[in-house]
């Protein structure tokens, strides 16, 4: 027996939760998923350029710090291509949880087949024909239980690597339709076996180019900036085979437009000077800005005051502070002092003055410290070879709380 008043309360809670969910989905300040369509802000020309590159069979390398809008730009590009009538197959390979190249080979083979097949019979026939001579055999039980086409364990030697590197080209030729393969967090498989896959894929891309416009395009996307730079610039994998593309910064005007329109639609008012301060603090990072103003929207009913902004910022700091503390706990004393030197605006760390002031020991030690902070993805270097702290909110927290008077 369930009391009637309990059912009424449950129905009320369900309606309220549904309304909250709909508001989250309808808000212009989206941060919980990638953004396309009417709420996509800026980078229109980036989408046009990437669409042109993909349409010509070119490959794109795209890296920037986590939550910089890469996925939104790529998905908006796909949307634009579909809208313009272009036909293509997408294989979206999310490697966020994959850190082993052997596992990658098996999951990638499954993702490629899943982009064109839908039934067990299709998977069995295509894997037997296109991956013959390898250990990649369709497992119907595994597929029913987890959706994975192949077992996660098993041999992944050169035969499997070569077959999987060729597979997207074979599928595209069979379907007579171009294919776009999106690798998310591509740097995760950088290892000895990963390098074997890089070389095999390089060979396939080169062979396809030799006979005309390739039927497959690849987007190599990563959020570990220095790791991606190591693969594509320092070690020169896919050199001259992929176009390194840097997303443009979303301008102050574009962000202001986006935010003001969002608040006007809800009957709210925000002072533009306050808005400019937020844009500067987050260094035009649209994910952080959307997250911040989503909180402001939830906290306000009409005029959005400076007090509301401060409350929203305090909420964000509270959420992210454990992560920031963990980053700092992972640094040595030398690394922490070099990070302080970066915050203070220094760009030449091997001078006697900087070494003495921050107690960095020696110029040889400075190089080791820079390499360590880059490997941990705390800092990166821009086109002017100037150090930049990757995360704008982390930088604010360091200045205000960790190294500041509120420490």
């Amino acid at each position: 027996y369930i009391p009637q008043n309990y059912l009424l309360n449950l129905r009320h809670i369900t309606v309220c939760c549904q309304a909250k969910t709909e508001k989250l989905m309808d808000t212009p300040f989206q941060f919980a998923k990638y953004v396309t369509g009417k709420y996509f802000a800026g980078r229109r020309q980036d989408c046009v350029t990437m669409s042109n590159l993909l349409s010509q069979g070119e490959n794109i390398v795209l890296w920037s710090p986590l939550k910089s809008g890469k996925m939104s730009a790529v998905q908006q590009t796909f949307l634009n291509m579909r809208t313009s009538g272009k036909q293509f197959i997408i294989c979206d390979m999310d490697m966020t949880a994959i850190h082993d190249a052997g596992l990658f080979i098996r999951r990638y083979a499954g993702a490629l087949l899943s982009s064109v097949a839908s039934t067990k019979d299709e998977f069995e026939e295509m894997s037997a024909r296109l991956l013959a001579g390898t250990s990649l055999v369709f497992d119907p039980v595994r597929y029913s239980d987890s959706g994975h086409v192949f077992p996660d364990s098993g041999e992944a030697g050169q035969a499997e690597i070569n077959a999987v590197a060729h597979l997207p080209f074979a599928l595209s030729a069979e379907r007579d339709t171009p294919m776009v393969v999106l690798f998310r967090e591509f740097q995760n498989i950088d290892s000895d076996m990963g390098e074997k896959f890089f070389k095999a894929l390089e060979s396939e891309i080169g062979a396809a180019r030799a006979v005309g416009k390739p039927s497959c395009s690849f987007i190599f996307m990563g959020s570990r900036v220095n790791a991606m730079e190591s693969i594509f610039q320092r070690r020169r994998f896919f050199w001259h085979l992929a176009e390194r593309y840097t997303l443009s910064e979303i301008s102050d005007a574009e962000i202001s437009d986006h935010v003001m329109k969002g608040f006007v639609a809800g009957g709210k008012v925000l002072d533009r000077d306050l808005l400019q301060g937020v844009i500067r603090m987050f260094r035009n990072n649209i994910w952080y800005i959307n997250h911040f103003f989503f909180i402001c929207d939830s906290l306000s009913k009409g005029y959005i005051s400076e007090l509301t902004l401060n409350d929203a910022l305090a909420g964000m700091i509270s959420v992210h502070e454990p992560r920031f503390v963990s980053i700092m706990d992972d640094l040595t004393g030398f690394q922490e002092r070099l990070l302080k030197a970066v915050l203070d605006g220094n760009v030449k760390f091997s001078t006697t003055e900087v070494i003495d002031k921050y107690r960095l020991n020696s110029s040889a030690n400075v190089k080791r410290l820079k390499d360590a902070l880059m490997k941990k993805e705390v800092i990166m270097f821009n086109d002017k070879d100037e150090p930049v702290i990757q995360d704008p909110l982390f930088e604010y927290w360091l200045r205000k709380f960790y190294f500041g008077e509120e420490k």
Side-chain angles (χ1 to χ4, degrees):
Y1 172 73
I2 302 176
Q4 186 64 30
N5 63 339
Y6 177 83
L7 290 174
L8 290 172
N9 286 338
L10 183 62
R11 193 174 298 119
H12 174 71
I13 292 169
T14 303
V15 170
C16 288
C17 289
Q18 188 175 18
K20 288 286 185 184
T21 303
E22 288 172 357
K23 182 179 180 182
L24 178 61
M25 293 175 65
D26 289 341
T27 178
F29 309 121
Q30 296 187 11
F31 64 93
K33 60 180 182 178
Y34 63 78
V35 182
T36 58
K38 65 179 180 179
Y39 296 137
F40 180 75
R43 292 177 174 160
R44 303 286 174 180
Q45 187 55 50
D46 288 331
C47 294
V48 172
T49 302
M50 288 194 290
S51 175
N52 290 338
L53 288 170
L54 295 174
S55 298
Q56 293 301 313
E58 298 293 334
N59 307 302
I60 299 171
V61 183
L62 190 64
W63 70 74
S64 61
L66 196 66
K67 300 298 183 182
S68 298
K70 299 181 293 297
M71 194 61 182
S72 294
V74 167
Q75 292 295 338
Q76 183 64 43
T77 298
F78 290 160
L79 178 61
N80 292 349
M81 292 171 69
R82 295 271 194 224
T83 303
S84 67
K86 291 184 173 66
Q87 299 296 314
F88 56 98
I89 302 164
I90 295 176
C91 174
D92 185 350
M93 182 62 194
D94 187 354
M95 298 153 65
T96 303
I98 298 175
H99 299 271
D100 174 76
L103 175 60
F104 161 75
I105 293 297
R106 308 182 79 78
R107 289 278 182 90
Y108 177 42
L112 286 168
L113 292 185
S114 296
S115 67
V116 296
S118 57
T119 68
K120 291 182 180 180
D121 287 343
E122 287 179 319
F123 282 119
E124 188 166 13
E125 187 277 328
M126 294 180 76
S127 60
R129 179 167 48 83
L130 297 173
L131 298 170
T134 73
S135 64
L136 295 164
V137 178
F138 175 60
D139 184 342
V141 176
R142 170 80 170 162
Y143 180 72
S144 297
D145 290 344
S146 67
H148 295 152
V149 179
F150 302 108
D152 285 345
S153 60
E155 186 180 354
Q158 197 62 53
E160 286 75 21
I161 289 172
N162 292 342
V164 171
H166 178 68
L167 186 56
F169 297 92
L171 293 173
S172 176
E174 280 197 357
R175 299 299 166 116
D176 194 26
T177 306
M179 175 176 278
V180 178
V181 177
L182 170 61
F183 291 119
R184 304 198 221 174
E185 304 305 333
F186 185 72
Q187 76 282 334
N188 282 5
I189 60 160
D190 189 10
S191 63
D192 289 344
M193 185 181 288
E195 288 193 3
K196 291 179 181 178
F197 173 74
F198 298 167
K199 292 174 182 176
L201 185 55
E202 280 182 329
S203 178
E204 291 292 340
I205 294 173
R209 281 193 173 184
V211 296
K213 186 176 82 172
S215 60
C216 289
S217 294
F218 298 86
I219 302 176
F220 303 95
M221 192 166 74
S223 300
R224 294 183 63 83
V225 172
N226 300 306
M228 289 289 285
E229 188 176 276
S230 172
I231 295 170
F232 292 94
Q233 290 193 333
R234 291 199 287 275
R235 287 180 285 154
R236 297 193 171 191
F237 283 107
F238 305 97
W239 197 249
H240 298 309
L241 295 176
E243 179 78 18
R244 160 76 167 116
Y245 193 80
T246 304
L247 292 175
S248 60
E249 182 179 274
I250 304 176
S251 70
D252 291 13
E254 288 170 324
I255 294 174
S256 294
D257 247 11
H258 167 69
V259 173
M260 297 304 284
K261 284 178 180 176
F263 281 129
V264 166
K268 298 182 180 181
V269 179
L270 171 66
D271 184 272
R272 280 190 178 270
D273 288 339
L274 293 177
L275 171 55
Q276 285 301 314
V278 174
I279 294 172
R280 284 193 299 273
M281 181 180 66
F282 289 122
R283 302 200 317 243
N284 298 65
N285 181 300
I286 193 63
W287 181 82
Y288 268 134
I289 289 168
N290 274 333
H291 190 180
F292 180 82
F293 283 117
F294 176 82
I295 298 173
C296 291
D297 194 22
S298 302
L299 293 174
S300 61
K301 292 184 178 179
Y303 178 72
I304 299 167
S305 66
E306 188 171 355
L307 180 62
T308 303
L309 300 188
N310 289 334
D311 287 344
L313 182 57
M316 288 188 71
I317 291 292
S318 178
V319 168
H320 291 277
E321 191 166 37
R323 176 170 63 92
F324 297 158
V325 170
S326 178
I327 292 171
M328 295 308 296
D329 284 347
D330 193 41
L331 302 186
T332 66
F334 280 115
Q335 292 166 6
E336 182 177 315
R337 291 196 291 276
L338 182 65
L339 185 59
K340 180 63 166 69
V342 171
L343 280 171
D344 290 344
N346 295 282
V347 294
K348 295 182 179 178
F349 304 105
S350 295
T351 64
T352 302
E353 180 184 357
V354 171
I355 289 173
D356 290 345
K357 180 178 178 180
Y358 296 96
R359 295 178 290 125
L360 301 177
N361 201 18
S362 67
S363 57
N365 192 43
V366 165
K367 184 182 185 308
R368 289 192 291 270
L369 298 175
K370 284 168 61 178
D371 289 345
L373 289 179
M374 290 173 67
K375 188 172 183 179
K376 292 175 180 179
E377 299 292 342
V378 175
I379 66 171
M380 60 185 180
F381 285 82
N382 61 20
D383 293 339
K384 298 178 182 178
D385 204 30
E386 298 167 335
V388 177
I389 295 174
Q390 293 191 24
D391 187 324
L393 186 61
F394 179 50
E395 179 179 354
Y396 172 83
W397 177 81
L398 287 172
R399 293 185 185 280
K400 185 74 173 177
F401 299 99
Y402 195 83
F403 292 116
E405 68 262 1
E406 296 187 33
K407 181 181 174 182

